[in-house]
Amino acid sequence: MRGFTFYERVSRAFNDYPSLTKLLVVSTTSGGGYVAYAEAKASDDSHRLITSSSDAEPKKKKIVVLGSGWAATSFLKNLNHPDYDVHVVSPRNYFAFTPLLPSVTIGTVEARSVVEPIRSILRKKPYDACYWEAECYKVDSQNKKVYCRPIENNLNGKFEEFSVDYDYLIVSMGARSNTFNTPGVEENCHFLKEVEDAQQIRRTVIDSFEKASLPNLSDDERKKILHFVIVGGGPTGVEFAAALHDFVNDDLVKLYPKVQDYVKITLLEAADHILNMFDKRITTSAEEKFQRDGIDVKLGSMVVKVGDNEISTKVRGNGGEITSFPYGMVVWSTGIGTRPVIMDFMKQIGQTNRRALATDEWLRVESCDNVYALGDCATINQRKVMEDIAAIFKKADKDNSGTLTVKEFQEVLDDVCERYPQVQLYLKKNKKLGNIVDLLKEAVGDAAKESIELNIEDFKKALSEVDSQMKNLPATAQVAAQQGKYLANCFNRMEECEANPEGPIRFRGEGRHRFHPFRYRHLGQFAPLGGGKTAAELPGDWVSISRSSQWLWYSVYASKQVSWRTRTLVVANWMRRAIYGRDTSRI
C-alpha cells in the first residue's frame, strides 16, 4: 500500500504541474545524449589509438610460396619468424611423402597415410599464412607478381584468374616426368610422381589380374595382359619393380593361382647398369638379385616408341636394330623435365639454355631480386674460382705488394673454401696442389716458410684445375628438404644478419655476405630390393644389402614423416601388412 501511495502521489504531482513532465523529458534526453556522446568519444579515442598503433606497426613482408612439395614444406615448417605474411599457391593442397609412393602402388601403405594437408601445417605456425588451391602459370619478376588460376575440378570449368603481389618469391614447383619426346609415352604410360599416379597404377595392376582370369582368353592374351614393363633403372624404377614382384608372389598368386605362370616383369635401362648413382657393390648385387627373382633386366635398351599394344626398343651395340614386344602396363620412370611455367620464366630472365632455374649459392635466382628457387626446378650455379682468381689474389694481398705470401693465403683460405667448396674438395683429393698445401701444413710457426711469395701467375697455375671438382646436386627429396630448411633459417635471421653478416668475405666487394652459402650434406640413400632386403649406402663408405638395412629403412622413413599423424599411420600400415598381407581390392 505504501508503494502504491508513493506512485499515486508522483502521478498527481505530474498532473498538477505539467512543467515537471517537460523537465523529465529534457533531463532524460540530455542525459542519454551525454551518455551517447561519452561512448562515442571513448570509441573514437580508442579507434584513434588503434589506428595510430597500427600505423606505427611495420608492414609485414609478404612471402609467396609456389608449390607444396619437399622444398616448400620444409621451408614452411622451419620458418618461425612472426613478421612474415606467407601465401602458398599450389594445385595440390597436401604434402606427399614421395619415397613411399612405390609402396602405395601395391597396397603396403595407404595413400592417405603419406599425405599431410598444407593447411594443417600452416595453422600451427606463428606467422600469418593462407593457402590457395591454384596453379601458377606466369611469374612476372619485374613487377613482383605471380599469375594464377584455380584448378579445373574446383570451378566446374569456370576459370577466374588472379594475380598475387610479393616481396619475396619462393619457387618450389618441382618437375614433371621427362619423356624425352618419345612417341606414345604420354598416351600409353603410367608415371610415378604423384599420389594419384600410384593409385592409378594399383588399380591397373588389379584390373590386369582380373582381366587375365576371364575364361575366354588365350594364353598369349594372358601373357600380354600380365606383362609389366618398367622403363628406367633408377631408384624409383628399381623399387617399384621389386615391390611389384613381392606383391605378385606374396599376395596375388594366392588369389589368382591360375594365372601366376603368365606374369612377367621387365625392367628397361638405357645405361650399362641399374642404380648408377649407387656404389658398384650395390649395383652388382641388385642385378644379381633381380636375376634370381625372375625380373628380366634389359640393359642398354632405349625405348623409341610406345604403342597401344607394343613397346619398341633399340639395343645399344646391336647395329641399331629395333625390337618390339607386347605389354600390359608400362610405368615410365626415366628422370625429370622442366615444367612449362618454369621454362617461360627462364626465357624472361635470359636462362634459355638450361634445364632448371639457375641460382647462386644462396638459392637466389640469378638476375632476379628477391626470387628464390629450390628443389627439382632449380640448380645451383656454383661460381668458378678462375672467374674470381684476380679478385681473390687482390683481397689476400693485404700489403698490395703484387705477391702473395703463404701466410696471407692461409688467412683467407677458410673464406675461399666456404665460397668455393670445390677448393676444399680439391685440397682433400688431389696432390697437384702440393706446392701450396704442403707449405700450408708446415707454415704455422715457421716464419721462413711464411715469407715464401707467389705471384699472380703461380697462383693461377696452382688453382687452374680446382673447378674440375664442381658437381651438380642430385634431384632428390633429401636435397630439396635441406634447401627448404636452409632458406627458412635465413629468413628467420634476416634482420640479425643484415646488421652482423656471417658469411664469407666478398672477394668482388667490401664486407661479408649476409649468410653462409648453402651446403648439401649427404646423409645416405636407400633402395629396397624386395624380399625384405634393402640396399643402404651411408657416409663413410658404409654399404649393406640385408634385412637389417631394411629395418634401418623403416626407422629412417618413419622418422622423416612430417607429422605424428602420418608417422602413426605409416607404421600401422606396415604392421597391418605383416599380419594380414596387402589389400587387393580395386578401390
Side-chain angles (χ1 to χ4, degrees):
M1 290 294 295
R2 293 179 60 185
F4 175 77
T5 303
F6 172 77
Y7 284 114
E8 188 177 27
R9 290 178 179 177
V10 171
S11 175
R12 288 178 180 178
F14 277 108
N15 288 331
D16 295 340
Y17 302 98
S19 58
L20 291 176
T21 304
K22 297 179 180 180
L23 179 63
L24 178 64
V25 171
V26 171
S27 300
T28 303
T29 305
S30 62
Y34 176 77
V35 172
Y37 170 75
E39 289 182 350
K41 181 166 178 47
S43 175
D44 183 62
D45 290 342
S46 63
H47 175 70
R48 289 180 182 177
L49 181 62
I50 293 173
T51 304
S52 61
S53 63
S54 63
D55 290 342
E57 182 180 346
K59 182 181 178 181
K60 293 185 176 181
K61 294 288 187 179
K62 181 189 287 187
I63 302 176
V64 174
V65 180
L66 302 179
S68 56
W70 278 93
T73 303
S74 177
F75 175 82
L76 296 172
K77 282 179 65 66
N78 287 280
L79 184 66
N80 295 314
H81 203 293
D83 292 340
Y84 290 114
D85 183 17
V86 180
H87 298 252
V88 182
V89 180
S90 174
R92 191 179 69 183
N93 73 341
Y94 57 84
F95 163 78
F97 194 86
T98 51
L100 285 178
L101 288 184
S103 298
V104 175
T105 63
I106 60 172
T108 300
V109 175
E110 292 299 325
R112 292 192 178 274
S113 300
V114 299
V115 299
E116 182 72 14
I118 289 296
R119 294 181 184 273
S120 297
I121 297 173
L122 294 177
R123 71 181 179 88
K124 303 174 184 177
K125 306 306 297 182
Y127 50 79
D128 295 337
C130 66
Y131 165 78
W132 293 312
E133 190 176 57
E135 62 176 352
C136 173
Y137 66 89
K138 182 181 178 181
V139 176
D140 184 358
S141 60
Q142 290 186 347
N143 298 311
K144 290 190 173 183
K145 284 186 177 183
V146 293
Y147 295 87
C148 311
R149 53 175 168 246
I151 59 176
E152 183 176 359
N153 58 7
N154 270 3
L155 299 177
N156 298 321
K158 298 179 181 179
F159 299 101
E160 298 181 5
E161 299 176 354
F162 60 93
S163 62
V164 185
D165 298 326
Y166 67 82
D167 294 307
Y168 299 102
L169 178 63
I170 314 297
V171 182
S172 51
M173 305 173 69
R176 60 178 178 176
S177 297
N178 193 351
T179 65
F180 299 98
N181 296 320
T182 305
V185 172
E186 293 281 357
E187 298 81 3
N188 302 308
C189 293
H190 293 273
F191 302 101
L192 191 50
K193 286 193 67 65
E194 304 289 345
V195 173
E196 294 81 3
D197 297 335
Q199 292 175 313
Q200 184 60 41
I201 290 174
R202 180 178 177 178
R203 287 191 289 266
T204 303
V205 171
I206 300 301
D207 282 345
S208 297
F209 275 85
E210 292 293 350
K211 291 178 182 177
S213 299
L214 295 176
N216 57 343
L217 297 179
S218 64
D219 291 347
D220 290 338
E221 288 175 322
R222 290 191 174 93
K223 289 180 179 179
K224 173 188 175 298
I225 293 172
L226 295 178
H227 187 191
F228 303 100
V229 180
I230 299 98
V231 182
T236 301
V238 168
E239 184 174 351
F240 174 68
L244 181 60
H245 177 267
D246 285 352
F247 188 34
V248 170
N249 288 274
D250 295 345
D251 301 278
L252 294 180
V253 295
K254 300 175 183 177
L255 302 177
Y256 306 91
K258 295 182 180 180
V259 299
Q260 60 177 324
D261 294 333
Y262 302 106
V263 179
K264 183 179 181 181
I265 301 173
T266 300
L267 179 62
L268 302 177
E269 170 56 42
D272 295 330
H273 297 282
I274 61 175
L275 298 177
N276 281 320
M277 67 293 300
F278 282 76
D279 187 274
K280 291 183 179 179
R281 291 168 288 181
I282 291 179
T283 297
T284 303
S285 297
E287 292 173 355
E288 292 175 352
K289 186 180 186 304
F290 277 13
Q291 186 177 5
R292 293 193 302 269
D293 292 342
I295 299 176
D296 186 14
V297 179
K298 295 182 180 295
L299 301 174
S301 296
M302 183 176 65
V303 177
V304 295
K305 182 181 179 181
V306 182
D308 295 337
N309 300 302
E310 288 187 337
I311 183 170
S312 301
T313 63
K314 181 170 64 175
V315 180
R316 189 173 65 251
N318 195 23
E321 181 181 353
I322 297 177
T323 59
S324 302
F325 52 86
Y327 69 89
M329 182 185 77
V330 177
V331 175
W332 189 273
S333 176
T334 60
I336 58 174
T338 310
R339 293 187 183 276
V341 61
I342 299 297
M343 295 176 66
D344 179 65
F345 182 41
M346 288 193 295
K347 290 179 182 179
Q348 292 181 35
I349 60 178
Q351 296 186 14
T352 54
N353 297 323
R354 292 184 175 276
R355 296 183 178 179
L357 277 170
T359 72
D360 61 14
E361 297 85 342
W362 292 268
L363 307 183
R364 297 172 300 202
V365 176
E366 294 182 347
S367 70
C368 289
D369 293 330
N370 298 332
V371 180
Y372 299 81
L374 29 154
D376 293 350
C377 68
T379 182
I380 297 177
N381 188 18
Q382 177 64 52
R383 192 166 182 84
K384 296 181 179 180
V385 173
M386 297 308 295
E387 294 176 352
D388 297 334
I389 192 70
I392 296 172
F393 187 90
K394 183 178 180 180
K395 185 71 70 171
D397 185 16
K398 295 183 179 180
D399 57 1
N400 296 322
S401 63
T403 58
L404 189 64
T405 65
V406 175
K407 181 180 179 180
E408 289 175 328
F409 180 70
Q410 190 177 22
E411 290 176 354
V412 299
L413 182 59
D414 290 340
D415 290 300
V416 170
C417 290
E418 184 176 13
R419 182 67 180 84
Y420 311 94
Q422 62 267 35
V423 174
Q424 189 172 12
L425 291 174
Y426 201 62
L427 290 174
K428 289 182 178 180
K429 296 181 179 180
N430 207 302
K431 298 301 181 182
K432 292 182 180 180
L433 276 178
N435 57 336
I436 290 180
V437 175
D438 293 340
L439 290 172
L440 289 176
K441 289 181 178 179
E442 300 175 7
V444 179
D446 191 334
K449 291 187 176 181
E450 288 178 359
S451 63
I452 296 176
E453 298 180 351
L454 298 171
N455 58 35
I456 183 65
E457 295 302 325
D458 293 334
F459 192 61
K460 288 181 179 180
K461 182 178 180 181
L463 298 176
S464 61
E465 298 184 12
V466 166
D467 292 327
S468 63
Q469 296 296 317
M470 296 173 61
K471 294 181 180 179
N472 291 328
L473 295 178
T476 63
Q478 189 176 167
V479 172
Q482 290 187 27
Q483 288 179 336
K485 183 178 181 179
Y486 163 83
L487 191 59
N489 290 334
C490 290
F491 274 81
N492 289 335
R493 298 180 298 109
M494 187 78 75
E495 295 179 359
E496 175 187 345
C497 293
E498 283 281 3
N500 300 296
E502 63 181 19
I505 292 175
R506 294 180 182 269
F507 290 104
R508 286 185 172 270
E510 298 299 326
R512 290 183 170 272
H513 291 276
R514 279 186 302 176
F515 307 106
H516 296 291
F518 171 74
R519 290 292 175 264
Y520 169 62
R521 182 185 177 191
H522 185 62
L523 301 177
Q525 51 190 349
F526 295 94
L529 301 178
K533 293 184 178 181
T534 292
E537 182 180 353
L538 302 180
D541 196 31
W542 190 88
V543 173
S544 174
I545 305 174
S546 61
R547 295 185 183 277
S548 61
S549 56
Q550 175 79 8
W551 286 102
L552 179 62
W553 179 83
Y554 283 139
S555 62
V556 170
Y557 276 27
S559 66
K560 292 297 182 181
Q561 297 297 317
V562 295
S563 69
W564 278 103
R565 183 190 72 87
T566 56
R567 187 174 295 116
T568 303
L569 290 174
V570 166
V571 172
N573 288 165
W574 286 336
M575 295 176 64
R576 183 212 63 200
R577 196 274 306 170
I579 299 172
Y580 301 108
R582 301 173 182 88
D583 181 25
T584 58
S585 303
R586 188 196 181 281
I587 298 177

